[in-house]
Amino acid sequence: MSDPTSPAHSRIVVAPDSFKGSLDATSAAGALAEGWRSVRPDDELLLRPMADGGEGTLDAFAAAIPGSRRVPVAVTGPTGRRIDSHWLMLPGEHPRTAVVELACTSGIELVEAGEAVDPLTTHTLGFGEAIRAALAAGATRLLLGIGGSVSSDGGSGVLTALGAIVRDTDGRQVPSGAAGLSRAASLDARGLLPPPVDGSLVLSDVRAPLLGPDGAARMFGPQKGADPDQVDRIETALTQWARVAGAAPDAAGAGAAGGCGFGLLVWGARLASGADAVAETIGLDAALAGAQRVITGEGSYDSQSLLGKAPGVVRAYAEARGVPVSVVAGRFGVSAGTDDLSLAELAGSASAAVSDPRRWLREAGARLARAHTRRDSV
């Protein structure tokens, strides 16, 4: 085993986020590590793939925490089609922590090519079904990643799956989805399962409120396929839902995932920075102790990356420890530092980088390792 305190052997932490649309965080970390080891095989590499609550959050926990167990579950997908998914049980009994991810139960990536998507009817019912399954399996604490949504149902689907009933003025149950919420008159919570005894933490990097110009409908509705008329209808429906549910629509993060953050607040969950919670749970700070460098990155690194997203959180942890940081990104929307690498520049174009991201991440890892060797020799 290499000695990380030796000048010839370094401890390197590899903690990228996903390269959205091309590679998940676990695969990205592995490719960077392969490239580094091709140059410096005796270094100690600690892989800590990161996430901020969106797609890949569950995989990041699974990769970083030995003994994590994936539990299969069949749920109702965001368009009503049944899908096979899973949630994650972390090791340990006190608390028994489960990770449930919206992206793999009710997310946009679950929509098949050519499948019709109505932004007024898509929902989070499947996410709630997976949460219910985790509770039934004995989870006493939940980590809920809510990025990657395709719906704008205000979290009503989650609450329905957990036993609540949203009724219209005639007492009939309304369907999940924004169209149903427009008829909501009451929330029957008598059958609603309580949150687990050790709490529920909602992981997200979105701090938007439920309503208004920066809210779920107007800010994020168009990304989910809503046209201007549908955006207005979703805003009206969510306004009605806020009146019925009785929680604060202006809470930071209530508008995350089409208002799913709001629905989880109604349930009694607590909103938190996704990347910070992931970093704490996977032991990022401990991994950085004695490290000579940390490598992080994502597909597009820009001014928003430092505002609560995974690479910014990794940088903050590293700077607190005095550990140098290298950023590898598909592209940079801000000036890159001398220790940063753009895959688009390495590959010659953005399209070339996207077509074979593993190759260029390996190349980036190798180049960073050679630069590290040159610094050691000075």
Side-chain angles (χ1 to χ4, degrees):
M1 185 174 182
S2 61
D3 177 4
T5 65
S6 167
H9 300 149
S10 296
R11 171 179 290 175
I12 307 298
V13 178
V14 186
D17 196 354
S18 65
F19 284 64
K20 288 182 174 59
S22 57
L23 210 60
D24 61 72
T26 301
S27 299
L32 286 165
E34 286 178 24
W36 187 283
R37 288 192 181 105
S38 71
V39 176
R40 295 176 60 95
D42 293 328
D43 282 348
E44 179 188 15
L45 267 63
L46 300 180
L47 275 57
R48 296 294 186 270
M50 282 288 294
D52 54 23
E55 180 186 3
T57 296
L58 188 150
D59 290 337
F61 283 116
I65 303 177
S68 300
R69 179 169 56 89
R70 294 177 188 265
V71 182
V73 63
V75 301
T76 307
T79 61
R81 176 172 47 82
R82 295 293 287 178
I83 61 168
D84 292 324
S85 189
H86 55 273
W87 53 276
L88 188 74
M89 186 71 87
L90 301 186
E93 294 296 322
H94 305 290
R96 295 199 73 195
T97 300
V99 182
V100 188
E101 183 182 288
L102 184 149
C104 66
T105 52
S106 300
I108 193 168
E109 297 296 327
L110 301 175
V111 177
E112 295 182 342
E115 185 176 6
V117 177
D118 182 351
L120 293 169
T121 61
T122 48
H123 54 70
T124 56
L125 191 65
F127 185 39
E129 291 169 346
I131 293 171
R132 189 180 189 109
L135 293 173
T140 65
R141 178 174 179 254
L142 294 173
L143 299 176
L144 305 173
I146 63 170
S149 166
V150 71
S151 64
S152 301
D153 75 345
S156 59
V158 170
L159 296 181
T160 298
L162 292 173
I165 302 175
V166 184
R167 302 185 188 276
D168 63 16
T169 54
D170 295 322
R172 294 173 299 193
Q173 183 172 356
V174 303
S176 297
L181 289 183
S182 65
R183 307 199 308 272
S186 65
L187 175 62
D188 182 351
R190 289 173 294 180
L192 182 63
L193 291 176
V197 293
D198 292 310
S200 297
L201 201 60
V202 181
L203 313 181
S204 174
D205 69 342
V206 174
R207 309 305 293 164
L210 180 67
L211 306 173
D214 299 321
R218 303 206 183 282
M219 179 64 70
F220 303 110
Q223 299 174 10
K224 306 175 196 295
D227 61 31
D229 176 67
Q230 290 171 324
V231 166
D232 287 341
R233 292 174 65 185
I234 292 169
E235 178 77 4
T236 299
L238 292 177
T239 301
Q240 177 63 17
W241 174 228
R243 293 193 194 102
V244 168
D250 57 349
C260 187
F262 176 79
L264 291 168
L265 283 174
V266 170
W267 187 44
R270 183 167 63 89
L271 298 177
S273 162
D276 275 314
V278 171
E280 180 180 349
T281 306
I282 68 174
L284 179 64
D285 187 58
L288 289 167
Q292 278 67 53
R293 181 161 297 275
V294 59
I295 305 171
T296 188
E298 61 181 339
S300 179
Y301 189 86
D302 54 30
S303 59
Q304 296 300 308
S305 298
L306 297 177
L307 300 178
K309 291 192 173 183
V313 168
V314 172
R315 181 181 288 279
Y317 271 73
E319 289 176 348
R321 286 272 188 184
V323 179
V325 179
S326 295
V327 177
V328 177
R331 57 173 292 277
F332 283 87
V334 293
S335 297
T338 55
D339 293 325
D340 300 338
L341 289 174
S342 162
L343 299 187
E345 292 183 5
L346 289 181
S349 69
S351 59
V354 170
S355 67
D356 196 354
R358 284 184 175 83
R359 172 188 174 186
W360 298 109
L361 282 165
R362 286 193 293 267
E363 175 61 24
R367 291 200 182 196
L368 290 173
R370 286 193 286 270
H372 187 76
T373 299
R374 288 195 296 273
R375 281 188 292 267
D376 276 357
S377 64
V378 174

